[in-house]
């Protein structure tokens, strides 16, 4: 078994040096805001074989990297609630601010920038070997009143405000 693991690691390293640039593609980001401002986040992505090998060998953990990036940017606790080979499910406490005034509830989400993810990616030793499309094909923000904001291939998502 140890020989097989060593062989897989050697093949992965060789592949990194001889393969053309691989790509990670962000497919969708779905953010559901609760009445108290917490967020349920579901992020789906597609990996090429080099990235799958990196994840398999535990060189990279997409869920933990996303968790770190969100906590760093929003200064809020993030919990990873599920992970599989093509998606990460997270929850973020107090993601959106919620105010009530004169019987009216207002929810405001923070702005999002996927450009910062490129900086994080460049910190890895294998960064020159891969390319990443970090802006999701579709970003959806769902509000407690049922309204939805949708963005297509957006690198930046401005803060969203909804009142009811």
């Amino acid at each position: 078994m140890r020989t097989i693991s060593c062989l897989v690691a050697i093949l992965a390293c060789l592949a990194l040096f001889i393969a053309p640039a691989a790509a990670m593609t962000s497919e969708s980001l779905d953010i559901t805001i609760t009445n108290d401002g917490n967020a349920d986040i579901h992020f789906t992505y597609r990996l090429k074989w080099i990235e799958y090998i990196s994840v398999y060998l535990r060189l990279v953990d997409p869920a933990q990297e996303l968790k770190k990036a969100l906590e760093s940017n929003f200064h809020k606790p993030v919990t990873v609630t599920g992970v599989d080979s093509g998606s990460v499910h997270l929850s973020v406490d107090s993601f959106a601010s919620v105010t009530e005034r004169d019987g009216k509830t207002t929810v405001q989400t923070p702005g999002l920038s996927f450009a910062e993810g490129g900086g994080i990616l460049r910190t890895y030793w294998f960064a020159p070997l891969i390319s990443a499309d970090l802006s999701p094909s579709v970003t959806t923000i769902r509000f407690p009143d049922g309204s939805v904001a949708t963005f297509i291939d957006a690198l930046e998502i401005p803060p969203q405000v909804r009142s009811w």
Side-chain angles (χ1 to χ4, degrees):
M1 185 65 174
R2 187 166 188 244
T3 305
I4 292 172
S5 296
C6 287
L7 181 60
V8 169
I10 290 169
L11 289 174
C13 289
L14 286 173
L16 287 173
F17 291 109
I18 63 174
M24 188 281 283
T25 304
S26 300
E27 293 186 342
S28 68
L29 176 63
D30 191 280
I31 302 170
T32 301
I33 309 297
T34 62
N35 286 326
D36 56 4
N38 295 341
D40 180 45
I41 300 174
H42 190 234
F43 177 65
T44 62
Y45 53 88
R46 189 176 52 235
L47 300 175
K48 298 293 185 191
W49 64 275
I50 289 176
E51 286 90 0
Y52 274 118
I53 291 170
S54 297
V55 171
Y56 177 76
L57 293 175
R58 299 186 194 274
L59 299 173
V60 178
D61 183 346
Q64 288 306 311
E65 292 307 318
L66 187 55
K67 175 183 174 9
K68 268 195 309 192
L70 290 173
E71 286 179 336
S72 168
N73 285 310
F74 299 125
H75 309 291
K76 313 250 184 210
V78 176
T79 304
V80 177
T81 58
V83 179
D84 64 36
S85 63
S87 69
V88 177
H89 203 122
L90 309 152
S91 66
V92 181
D93 291 340
S94 303
F95 178 81
S97 65
V98 179
T99 56
E100 292 187 28
R101 191 164 155 193
D102 300 328
K104 190 176 196 178
T105 301
T106 301
V107 174
Q108 180 173 351
T109 65
L112 302 171
S113 173
F114 303 107
E116 295 170 10
I120 294 168
L121 183 63
R122 284 189 292 278
T123 65
Y124 289 102
W125 62 269
F126 55 82
L129 303 172
I130 63 172
S131 63
D133 176 7
L134 299 177
S135 58
S137 297
V138 178
T139 299
T140 306
I141 303 173
R142 301 173 196 285
F143 292 88
D145 69 338
S147 64
V148 176
T150 303
F151 303 88
I152 307 299
D153 289 319
L155 193 57
E156 305 277 336
I157 307 294
Q160 299 296 299
V161 178
R162 296 293 187 277
S163 296
W164 62 92

